[in-house]
C-alpha cells in the first residue's frame, strides 16, 4: 500500500498532481500495445468538438471479426446462452468473450475516458480458469452468469485495486476485499474486466475528477456523459460492456443511461446489496438510501440481473437487504396495461426532442391497446426541496475534509452544484426532515392508489444530455426520496425535426433559462432520448414486468 498521500503534523501532502499523473500513467500502461489506437487516428476520431465515437470500435481495426460478433451481436442473455453452449455446440469460450470485451473496453477508454481501473489481465486469467474447470468437468451445471464480463462503477471494491471514487485522498490505497454485490456476482460466475469513472464527490452529473479526468459522451463529445455512474453509461453505450453496475441516490444510474442511450434500472432501497462500497460521505449518515443497480444494452438484461440478485438471498451478502425474493410473477392477464402519464412536472417544460419522444411513446402505447391516464405531480418543488435538503445534511464536511487532506481543488461541477456550503442539520432539523419526508411519501402513496395504474411513465428530466458542466436538474431525485423503483428506456436520438421553439417555455424564468439551453438539433446531434418508467416501492419485480412490456412496444 502506498503511503504517498499520508500526512503528518510536520509534512505537507504530496502534490495532488503527482498522484493523478501516476494513476493515469498506470492505467494507460495496462492497455496492451496491440489494443492502442494510433495517435493520428485518435486525433482524427476526436477532432470535432461534437464528435460521435460510437463507430470507433468497429472501424479502428483492433477488433477481429469474432470480437465484433461477440461484442456487437448479442445482449447479456443471448451471450450467456452462447457461453453455456460452448464452442463445440456453436457457442463461445469464456476467454473468447472476456478478451473481446477487454479489447472493446480498451478502445472505449481511449475515446471516452470511461475506465478507472483496468482489470484485463485478471479477467482473462479468471476466464481461463473457468474454461479449464468446465473442460475438466463438462457435465457440471454452470452458474447463471458463468463467464460473462461485467463492469463495475469505481465505488465497488475489488481486492488489489483502488476504489478512489475520483478523490486523490483515496488513490493508491488498494482495496483488500470485495464489496457485497461484486461478491454475490462472483458467486454467480461473473468476470470483472474494469471499473468505471465517477465525478469527484459522486454527487454531480458530470463524471470529471482530478484523479482520472472527464468521461466524454460517445454520442456527442460536447455533451455530458452524466453522473455519477457516467463511466458505466459511456462504456455500455460503446458496448465495451453489455452489463454493468452503477449506484443511484439522486439519479446516478438513470442520468447516465439517459445521457448515453442505455437501459438502466434503479431498484428500491435494500433490494440489491449495497454494503462495502467506498463512500465520500460520513459513515452512518441518515436520509435517502443509495441503491445499486444495472446498466445494460437491453431491458431484459436489467430484468435478468434483478431476478438473479433477488433469487440469491442477497441478505447473506448485505445484512440490510430485505427478504423479498423473486416470485416469478406473470404479466397482467385478461386486461390491458393502465399507465399513468406525467406529461410535465409543473416546473420545467420539455425541450423539443424530449416533448417529441414522449408524444411518440404515448402514441405507440395507445396503438398497442395500453390505457393511458394523465397524472399531475402535486407540489413537486416542495418535494424536491425535501430531497435536496437531505444532500446538505452534513454540508459535505466529510468530502471537503478528504479534498483538504489531499490539497486538491473542487472541480467545476462540484462548485456549480452548490452542496459544499451551508451548516448542515441539527438533530432537530433531522427530526423535522423525517416528518417532511413522511408527508411526501404519504401524498404520493395516495396519488398512486387513486390513479390505479400499473406504472407511471415520464421524462427523467425535461432535456437531453446538456453541455458539459451545465447539468442543474434535480427533479429526478423525487423517486429516490419516496423510494420508488424506476428505469430508463431509450427511445431514439435528437432529430432534425426538433427545431427550437423560442416561445416554448411555460413555467417562468427558471424554466425559460433551462429550456433555452437547447439550441437546436445541430448542436445536440446524436443526443439520446428516453422515457422513465416508475413503479411502486418494493415492487421491483412488478416494475420489471411492466417496463419490459413497454420496451417491447417502443423498441420492437
Amino acid at each position: 500500500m502506498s503511503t504517498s498521500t499520508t500526512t503528518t503534523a510536520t509534512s505537507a501532502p504530496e502534490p495532488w498532481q503527482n498522484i493523478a499523473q501516476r494513476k493515469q500513467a498506470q492505467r494507460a500502461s495496462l492497455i496492451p500495445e496491440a489494443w492502442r489506437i494510433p495517435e493520428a487516428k485518435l486525433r482524427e476520431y476526436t477532432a470535432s468538438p461534437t464528435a460521435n465515437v460510437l463507430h470507433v470500435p468497429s472501424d479502428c481495426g483492433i477488433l477481429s471479426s469474432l470480437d465484433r460478433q461477440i461484442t456487437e451481436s448479442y445482449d447479456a442473455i443471448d451471450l450467456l446462452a452462447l457461453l453455456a453452449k460452448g464452442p463445440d455446440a456453436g457457442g463461445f469460450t469464456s476467454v473468447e468473450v472476456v478478451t473481446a470485451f477487454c479489447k472493446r473496453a480498451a478502445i472505449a477508454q481511449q475515446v471516452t475516458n470511461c475506465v478507472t481501473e483496468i482489470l484485463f489481465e485478471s479477467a482473462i486469467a479468471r476466464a481461463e480458469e473457468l474454461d479449464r474447470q468446465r473442460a475438466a468437468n463438462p457435465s457440471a451445471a454452470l452458474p447463471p452468469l458463468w463467464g460473462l464480463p461485467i463492469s463495475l462503477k469505481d465505488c465497488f471494491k475489488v481486492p488489489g485495486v483502488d476504489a478512489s471514487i475520483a478523490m486523490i485522498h483515496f488513490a493508491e490505497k488498494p482495496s483488500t476485499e470485495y464489496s457485497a454485490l461484486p461478491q454475490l456476482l462472483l458467486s454467480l460466475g461473473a468476470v470483472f474486466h474494469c471499473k468505471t469513472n465517477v465525478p469527484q464527490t459522486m454527487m454531480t452529473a458530470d463524471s470529471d475528477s482530478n484523479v482520472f479526468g472527464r468521461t466524454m459522451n460517445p454520442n456527442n463529445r460536447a455533451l455530458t456523459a452524466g453522473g455519477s455512474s457516467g463511466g458505466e453509461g459511456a462504456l455500455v453505450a460503446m458496448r465495451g460492456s453489455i452489463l454493468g453496475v452503477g449506484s443511484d441516490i439522486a439519479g446516478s444510474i438513470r442520468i447516465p443511461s439517459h445521457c448515453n442511450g442505455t437501459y438502466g434500472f434503479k431498484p428500491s432501497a435494500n433490494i440489491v446489496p449495497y454494503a462495502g462500497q467506498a463512500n465520500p460521505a460520513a459513515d452512518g449518515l441518515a436520509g435517502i438510501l443509495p441503491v445499486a443497480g444495472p446498466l445494460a444494452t437491453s431491458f431484459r438484461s436489467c430484468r435478468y440481473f434483478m431476478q438473479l440478485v433477488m433469487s440469491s438471498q442477497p441478505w447473506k451478502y448485505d445484512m440490510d437487504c430485505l427478504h423479498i425474493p423473486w416470485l416469478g410473477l406473470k404479466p397482467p392477464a385478461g386486461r390491458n396495461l393502465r399507465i399513468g402519464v406525467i406529461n410535465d412536472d409543473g416546473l420545467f417544460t420539455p425541450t423539443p426532442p424530449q416533448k417529441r419522444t414522449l408524444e411518440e411513446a404515448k402514441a405507440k402505447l395507445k396503438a398497442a391497446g395500453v390505457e393511458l391516464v394523465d397524472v399531475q405531480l402535486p407540489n413537486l418543488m416542495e418535494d424536491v426541496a425535501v430531497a435536496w435538503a437531505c444532500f446538505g445534511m452534513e454540508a459535505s464536511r466529510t468530502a471537503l475534509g478528504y479534498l483538504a487532506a489531499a490539497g486538491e481543488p473542487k472541480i467545476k461541477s462540484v462548485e456549480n452544484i452548490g452542496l459544499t456550503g451551508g451548516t448542515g442539520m441539527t438533530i432537530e432539523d433531522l427530526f423535522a426532515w423525517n416528518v417532511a419526508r413522511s408527508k411526501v411519501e404519504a401524498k404520493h402513496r395516495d396519488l398512486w392508489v387513486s390513479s390505479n395504474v400499473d406504472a407511471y411513465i415520464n421524462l427523467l428530466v425535461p432535456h437531453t444530455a446538456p453541455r458539459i458542466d451545465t447539468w442543474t436538474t434535480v427533479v429526478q431525485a423525487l423517486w429516490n426520496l419516496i423510494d420508488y423503483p424506476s428505469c430508463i428506456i431509450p427511445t431514439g436520438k435528437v432529430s432534425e425535426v426538433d427545431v427550437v421553439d423560442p416561445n416554448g417555455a411555460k413555467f417562468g424564468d427558471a424554466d425559460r433559462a433551462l429550456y433555452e439551453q437547447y439550441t437546436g438539433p445541430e448542436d445536440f446531434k446524436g443526443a439520446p432520448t428516453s422515457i422513465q418508467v416508475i413503479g411502486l416501492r418494493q415492487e421491483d419485480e412488478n416494475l420489471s414486468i411492466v417496463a419490459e412490456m413497454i420496451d417491447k412496444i417502443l423498441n420492437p
Side-chain angles (χ1 to χ4, degrees):
M1 177 182 293
S2 170
T3 58
S4 59
T5 57
T6 301
T7 62
T8 69
T10 58
S11 64
E14 180 181 6
W16 65 265
Q17 296 92 333
N18 293 357
I19 300 169
Q21 186 177 33
R22 284 200 300 271
K23 285 295 297 179
Q24 293 180 34
Q26 178 197 40
R27 177 183 58 178
S29 72
L30 294 174
I31 298 178
E33 186 66 34
W35 299 358
R36 296 185 186 182
I37 302 171
E39 283 295 327
K41 258 189 177 180
L42 190 58
R43 286 194 297 271
E44 178 185 337
Y45 290 142
T46 59
S48 169
T50 60
N52 181 314
V53 296
L54 292 172
H55 64 95
V56 172
S58 298
D59 293 351
C60 67
I62 292 171
L63 299 180
S64 68
S65 58
L66 179 61
D67 294 332
R68 289 187 58 186
Q69 178 189 348
I70 289 170
T71 59
E72 295 175 8
S73 302
Y74 313 109
D75 69 357
I77 293 177
D78 286 334
L79 202 48
L80 284 166
L82 289 165
L83 281 163
K85 281 185 175 182
D88 293 340
F92 304 120
T93 66
S94 180
V95 166
E96 288 173 329
V97 171
V98 170
T99 302
F101 278 101
C102 287
K103 285 184 179 181
R104 197 169 184 117
I107 296 165
Q109 162 59 19
Q110 292 170 77
V111 292
T112 68
N113 194 42
C114 56
V115 171
T116 55
E117 303 293 335
I118 288 176
L119 311 177
F120 301 158
E121 185 176 342
S122 61
I124 294 171
R126 173 165 164 79
E128 289 172 343
E129 179 59 25
L130 291 174
D131 286 338
R132 279 195 295 269
Q133 292 173 359
R134 183 180 191 177
N137 192 0
S139 61
L142 299 176
L145 291 176
W146 186 89
L148 184 73
I150 291 179
S151 50
L152 300 170
K153 186 176 180 177
D154 190 73
C155 51
F156 290 97
K157 293 180 180 178
V158 172
V161 296
D162 290 351
S164 59
I165 55 172
M167 302 182 83
I168 296 292
H169 176 80
F170 293 107
E172 301 183 331
K173 298 174 182 177
S175 302
T176 58
E177 60 186 3
Y178 286 103
S179 302
L181 182 56
Q183 188 179 4
L184 186 157
L185 297 175
L186 276 177
S187 75
L188 299 178
V191 179
F192 304 131
H193 66 307
C194 61
K195 295 175 66 179
T196 53
N197 205 17
V198 299
Q200 184 190 67
T201 75
M202 295 207 303
M203 279 303 294
T204 87
D206 287 270
S207 291
D208 180 26
S209 75
N210 296 315
V211 184
F212 290 109
R214 184 187 302 278
T215 294
M216 310 302 290
N217 189 320
N219 301 275
N220 181 329
R221 287 170 57 87
L223 308 179
T224 183
S228 61
S229 309
E232 277 301 320
L235 181 67
V236 173
M238 293 286 293
R239 298 187 70 91
S241 175
I242 51 173
L243 180 60
V245 186
S247 64
D248 195 314
I249 194 173
S252 292
I253 289 171
R254 294 161 294 150
I255 291 170
S257 295
H258 169 60
C259 289
N260 294 284
T262 75
Y263 292 85
F265 193 103
K266 179 201 83 68
S268 304
N270 294 327
I271 298 293
V272 174
Y274 189 87
Q277 293 186 50
N279 181 16
D283 289 339
L285 189 67
I288 298 171
L289 292 177
V291 301
L295 294 84
T297 59
S298 69
F299 186 79
R300 67 178 192 154
S301 298
C302 291
R303 185 168 188 265
Y304 189 56
F305 176 97
M306 294 299 298
Q307 176 184 341
L308 291 178
V309 170
M310 292 176 69
S311 300
S312 298
Q313 298 180 308
W315 48 270
K316 290 184 175 179
Y317 299 85
D318 181 349
M319 65 184 180
D320 290 324
C321 278
L322 300 168
H323 290 238
I324 299 179
W326 188 266
L327 298 175
L329 301 175
K330 303 299 181 184
R335 66 174 179 85
N336 293 333
L337 286 179
R338 180 177 165 91
I339 301 297
V341 180
I342 304 168
N343 289 290
D344 62 56
D345 56 26
L347 296 177
F348 298 105
T349 306
T351 57
Q354 290 288 83
K355 179 180 179 180
R356 173 184 55 80
T357 205
L358 183 58
E359 291 301 316
E360 289 176 350
K362 288 161 57 179
K364 289 180 180 179
L365 292 170
K366 189 174 181 180
V370 175
E371 181 183 1
L372 303 179
V373 294
D374 289 340
V375 172
Q376 185 64 49
L377 297 178
N379 303 316
L380 182 62
M381 183 176 290
E382 294 178 10
D383 299 347
V384 170
V386 175
W388 193 246
C390 171
F391 303 134
M393 194 170 285
E394 65 147 351
S396 300
R397 283 188 288 269
T398 300
L400 289 172
Y402 293 143
L403 295 179
E408 72 165 303
K410 289 180 279 188
I411 61 168
K412 184 176 180 180
S413 63
V414 170
E415 293 276 14
N416 291 348
I417 203 70
L419 285 173
T420 55
T423 58
M425 287 188 185
T426 64
I427 191 67
E428 291 79 14
D429 293 333
L430 176 58
F431 295 161
W433 183 85
N434 283 327
V435 171
R437 181 186 190 180
S438 293
K439 290 180 178 178
V440 176
E441 290 173 329
K443 176 175 60 180
H444 282 277
R445 185 266 327 273
D446 292 346
L447 177 63
W448 184 280
V449 171
S450 65
S451 299
N452 188 29
V453 294
D454 295 298
Y456 295 151
I457 63 168
N458 76 338
L459 300 170
L460 175 72
V461 289
H463 50 74
T464 63
R467 292 177 176 86
I468 287 169
D469 287 335
T470 63
W471 186 291
T472 58
T473 313
V474 294
V475 293
Q476 69 282 348
L478 169 67
W479 311 110
N480 301 85
L481 177 69
I482 63 176
D483 194 23
Y484 281 22
S486 55
C487 54
I488 296 299
I489 295 178
T491 55
K493 308 272 188 179
V494 167
S495 165
E496 291 181 356
V497 303
D498 298 323
V499 296
V500 172
D501 180 357
N503 301 309
K506 58 184 180 181
F507 296 120
D509 292 343
D511 179 31
R512 186 175 303 106
L514 186 63
Y515 190 85
E516 289 177 353
Q517 289 184 20
Y518 177 74
T519 52
E522 187 59 33
D523 292 337
F524 288 79
K525 185 177 182 180
T529 57
S530 70
I531 64 163
Q532 180 175 224
V533 187
I534 301 153
L536 193 60
R537 183 183 185 188
Q538 296 176 1
E539 294 195 2
D540 298 61
E541 185 177 352
N542 274 328
L543 173 62
S544 76
I545 292 170
V546 174
E548 188 166 39
M549 295 172 70
I550 290 173
D551 180 47
K552 288 178 179 178
I553 295 170
L554 301 185
N555 299 297

